[in-house]
């Protein structure tokens, strides 16, 4: 037994069955599934092949950063390659196929490259294909072009509709997790024009997947109440399935909105140009993988992804699961899976001194402190792991068909660095934080101007949650500019004239 579906639970609509095909084979999922969760629930763990050596790959991060489960969706002119299976919403009649394999995903002749790896190191083609020169156009170039890339786009004209939109707002909130929801709600209550962008179909972030209590409700309840209140505010616009991809001059942001399903007359995508007086980056954090031999085997995924699949889509990642961690996320995952009836073989923790709170989260599960995973075994599916005792050097083997790993969290600060500012290294936490106050500090906070003080970095996966207390938002002041502000602008103009 590998992955499967729990009989109960999850945030899926079991009354709505959706049929789809993957590599020509028919499967079935439920409303609320992604393509990745529906495949895992059907026992499919092999979803792709690596680019060069064609090693078998399965779902890894389960979100927007998914590097392995890349698929092609659609047929004919609507054929779209290189989509992340974890971001593809399931709908009835969906047609998907795997990429970068021949003749099939299960039997890929390109996997022979792994046997030739000692002879085809990085950059080998620059030296090998130099001779004889006559074979370049006849053999080498056609073969390289055929092997390049992953999916293949359609050559037919795309008849779908695409839209371009402009929007203006006082505050743009990027990310719909706990920090983003609270920032958007606080500004919306104060009367500011707010646009909230979240790349998922349902905003809420980890509130929807983690076991949290906020007041007298849980994470999904809190997120639902916040979204319902904002939906009733005419000055707040919520854009789900929308990825903010660029930050440009004059606080103009580029965003891409994906449509839901394939209904006739609905644009396939919208490109937004959003002009914002201020913006808050609340994009959250990504869980870091851990390095060990064969850590790319299908069945090995991030701890947060495995926990989210279990709680949101009721997907059991494996029949016998092991957890490799360097922090609390692994223990939380072990406890959550055990509570759902999954057999958790062990929690392998690289630390020797584990806080009692973390041990309590994984109570009842064997914990191997001061141990690391050295290697993983299995072909198209994980079969076991080799565990190393760091103190004695002894190795032992644990049979498992799924492994959750967590190497900590890295804040998603990329957008904050697009205008030249550099991230700030926090040596105590071992992470990069968004740039501090500087030339382009407008993205990190509502500055101390007419809009008061609202600072929201993100929840950073439990590492940081910075939302300024006693938020006071006021309408922008009108009238003449202050003398100090006029002097500052005059100095800037004089400097620019001198440079010119």
């Amino acid at each position: 037994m590998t992955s499967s579906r729990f009989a109960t639970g999850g945030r899926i609509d079991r009354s709505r069955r959706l049929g789809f095909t993957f590599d020509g084979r028919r499967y079935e999922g439920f409303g609320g599934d992604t393509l990745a969760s529906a495949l895992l629930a059907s026992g499919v763990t092999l979803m792709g092949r690596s680019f060069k050596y064609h090693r078998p790959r399965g779902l890894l991060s389960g979100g927007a950063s998914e590097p392995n489960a890349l698929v092609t969706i659609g047929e004919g002119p609507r054929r779209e390659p290189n989509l992340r299976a974890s971001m593809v919403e399931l709908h009835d009649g969906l047609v998907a196929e795997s990429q970068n394999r021949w003749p099939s995903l299960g039997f890929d002749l390109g996997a022979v490259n792994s046997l030739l790896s000692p002879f085809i190191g990085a950059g080998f083609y620059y030296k090998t294909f130099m001779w004889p020169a006559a074979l370049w156009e006849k053999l080498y170039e056609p073969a390289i072009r055929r092997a390049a890339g992953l999916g293949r786009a359609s050559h037919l004209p795309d008849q779908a509709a695409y839209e371009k939109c402009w929007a203006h707002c006082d505050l743009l909130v990027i990310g719909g997790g706990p920090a983003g929801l609270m920032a958007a709600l606080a500004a919306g209550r104060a009367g500011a024009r707010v646009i909230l962008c979240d790349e998922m179909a349902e905003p809420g972030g980890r509130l929807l997947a983690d076991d949290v209590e906020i007041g007298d409700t849980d994470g999904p309840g809190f997120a639902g109440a916040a979204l319902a209140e904002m939906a009733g505010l005419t000055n707040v616009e919520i854009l789900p399935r929308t990825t903010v991809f660029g930050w440009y001059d004059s606080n103009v942001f580029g965003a891409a909105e994906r449509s839901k399903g394939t209904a006739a007359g609905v644009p396939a995508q919208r490109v937004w140009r959003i002009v914002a007086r201020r913006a808050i980056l609340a994009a959250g954090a990504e869980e870091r993988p851990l390095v060990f031999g064969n850590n790319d085997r299908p069945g090995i995924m991030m701890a947060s992804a495995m926990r989210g699949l279990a709680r949101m889509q009721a997907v059991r990642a494996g029949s016998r699961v092991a957890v490799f961690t360097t922090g609390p996320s692994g223990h939380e995952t072990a406890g959550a899976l055990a509570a759902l009836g999954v057999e958790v073989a062990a929690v392998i923790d690289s630390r020797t001194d584990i806080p009692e709170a973390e041990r309590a989260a994984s109570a009842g599960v064997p914990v191997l402190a001061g141990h690391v995973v050295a290697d993983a075994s299995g072909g198209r599916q994980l079969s076991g792991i080799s565990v190393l005792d760091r103190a004695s050097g002894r190795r032992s083997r644990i049979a498992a068909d799924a492994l959750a790993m967590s190497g900590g969290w890295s804040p998603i600060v990329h957008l904050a660095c697009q205008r030249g500012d550099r991230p700030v290294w926090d040596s105590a936490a071992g992470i990069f934080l968004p740039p501090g106050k500087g030339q382009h500090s407008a993205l990190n906070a509502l500055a101390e101007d007419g809009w008061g003080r609202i600072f929201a970095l993100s929840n950073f996966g439990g590492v940081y949650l910075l939302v300024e207390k006693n938020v006071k938002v006021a309408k922008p002041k009108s009238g003449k500019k202050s003398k100090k502000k006029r002097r500052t602008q005059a100095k800037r103009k004089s400097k620019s004239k001198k440079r010119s």
Side-chain angles (χ1 to χ4, degrees):
M1 178 181 177
T2 54
S3 56
S4 60
R5 181 91 69 178
F6 292 108
T8 59
R11 296 174 57 79
I12 52 175
D13 184 0
R14 296 176 187 264
S15 65
R16 189 159 61 97
R17 293 182 175 271
L18 305 174
F20 69 99
T21 61
F22 181 65
D23 282 346
R25 186 172 179 179
R26 184 169 176 79
Y27 298 94
E28 204 172 64
F30 297 114
D33 264 324
T34 64
L35 175 61
S37 67
L39 287 173
L40 285 171
S42 302
V44 179
T45 55
L46 177 62
M47 299 183 190
R49 293 277 178 170
S50 66
F51 174 70
K52 185 175 181 180
Y53 296 124
H54 291 247
R55 292 168 62 89
R57 293 281 174 86
L59 189 72
L60 179 65
S61 66
S65 59
E66 175 59 42
N68 292 345
L70 302 179
V71 296
T72 297
I73 300 297
E75 298 176 297
R78 292 301 304 273
R79 177 185 175 91
E80 189 171 1
N82 301 329
L83 296 181
R84 295 149 293 184
S86 54
M87 298 292 288
V88 176
E89 294 178 59
L90 197 66
H91 63 82
D92 198 43
L94 176 71
V95 177
E97 65 179 49
S98 57
Q99 305 180 157
N100 195 41
R101 81 287 185 274
W102 187 84
S104 68
L105 183 61
F107 181 72
D108 182 14
L109 291 179
V112 72
N113 288 354
S114 60
L115 302 176
L116 303 175
S117 58
F119 309 102
I120 53 175
F124 80 98
Y125 23 77
Y126 296 114
K127 300 177 182 178
T128 306
F129 298 138
M130 295 297 292
W131 57 272
L135 291 180
W136 173 253
E137 292 186 358
K138 297 178 181 179
L139 177 62
Y140 297 152
E141 185 180 19
I144 292 174
R145 287 187 178 276
R146 183 176 180 83
L150 294 173
R152 298 186 182 278
S154 173
H155 292 280
L156 301 175
D158 189 354
Q159 303 298 327
Y162 296 86
E163 289 186 351
K164 296 182 290 184
C165 302
W166 279 90
H168 296 74
C169 63
D170 298 316
L171 174 64
L172 171 65
V173 180
I174 304 164
L181 288 177
M182 287 308 299
L185 186 58
R189 286 171 175 171
R193 295 174 301 162
V194 181
I195 295 178
L196 171 63
C197 295
D198 191 82
E199 63 189 357
M200 305 305 291
E202 183 181 10
R206 297 305 305 178
L207 289 174
L208 306 179
D210 289 342
D211 185 15
V212 296
E213 292 184 5
I214 304 175
D216 57 353
T217 186
D218 58 4
F222 178 83
L227 290 170
E229 183 177 347
M230 284 189 283
L233 298 175
T234 57
N235 56 312
V236 178
E237 184 172 5
I238 302 172
L239 297 178
R241 304 180 185 86
T242 303
T243 302
V244 179
F245 59 78
W247 177 28
Y248 307 103
D249 291 339
S250 303
N251 252 19
V252 177
F253 295 83
E257 180 186 4
R258 311 183 307 275
S259 65
K260 179 183 179 181
T262 57
V266 177
Q269 291 182 1
R270 288 189 181 93
V271 173
W272 290 86
R273 295 176 178 87
I274 302 174
V275 183
R277 292 190 67 233
R278 290 289 183 267
I280 292 179
L281 177 63
E286 294 173 342
E287 201 166 18
R288 294 192 293 260
L290 292 168
V291 179
F292 53 90
N294 295 307
N295 68 345
D296 60 345
R297 289 288 180 239
I300 300 176
M301 66 180 71
M302 308 310 302
S304 59
M306 191 177 294
R307 191 168 69 246
L309 285 166
R311 286 183 170 149
M312 294 185 65
Q313 284 91 19
V315 171
R316 186 198 309 263
S319 57
R320 195 165 195 263
V321 178
V323 179
F324 180 26
T325 186
T326 62
S329 180
H331 292 271
E332 183 182 350
T333 299
L337 296 177
L340 292 170
V342 178
E343 181 185 0
V344 182
V347 175
I348 300 100
D349 197 318
S350 61
R351 301 167 298 173
T352 55
D353 186 16
I354 303 173
E356 289 299 322
E358 296 180 29
R359 286 187 178 272
S362 57
V365 178
V367 177
L368 302 179
H371 288 65
V372 295
V373 175
D375 199 3
S377 56
R380 290 183 290 176
Q381 171 67 42
L382 180 71
S383 60
I385 55 175
S386 175
V387 178
L388 173 68
D389 185 339
R390 298 174 64 186
S392 65
R394 294 179 182 177
R395 290 200 180 202
S396 58
R397 188 179 186 278
I398 297 177
D401 59 358
L403 174 67
M405 59 178 174
S406 174
W409 296 83
S410 292
I412 302 174
V413 301
H414 313 72
L415 192 65
C417 305
Q418 283 196 2
R419 301 282 299 281
D421 285 349
R422 295 184 178 183
V424 179
W425 174 250
D426 187 327
S427 57
I431 57 176
F432 280 102
L433 295 176
K437 289 187 177 181
Q439 183 180 0
H440 306 300
S441 61
L443 184 60
N444 292 327
L446 289 175
E448 284 188 88
D449 58 5
W451 290 98
R453 293 172 58 87
I454 297 181
F455 293 85
L457 295 183
S458 186
N459 70 0
F460 289 167
V463 178
Y464 283 104
L465 173 54
L466 180 56
V467 179
E468 183 81 356
K469 295 182 179 180
N470 301 321
V471 173
K472 182 180 179 182
V473 181
K475 292 183 179 180
K477 297 177 181 178
S478 59
K480 298 181 179 180
K481 300 176 183 177
S482 65
K483 292 182 179 180
K484 183 178 180 181
K485 195 167 187 178
R486 289 200 302 269
R487 283 197 301 268
T488 302
Q489 290 181 347
K491 288 180 181 179
R492 288 177 181 171
K493 289 180 180 179
S494 62
K495 288 181 179 179
S496 62
K497 288 180 179 179
K498 289 178 181 179
R499 282 196 293 266
S500 61

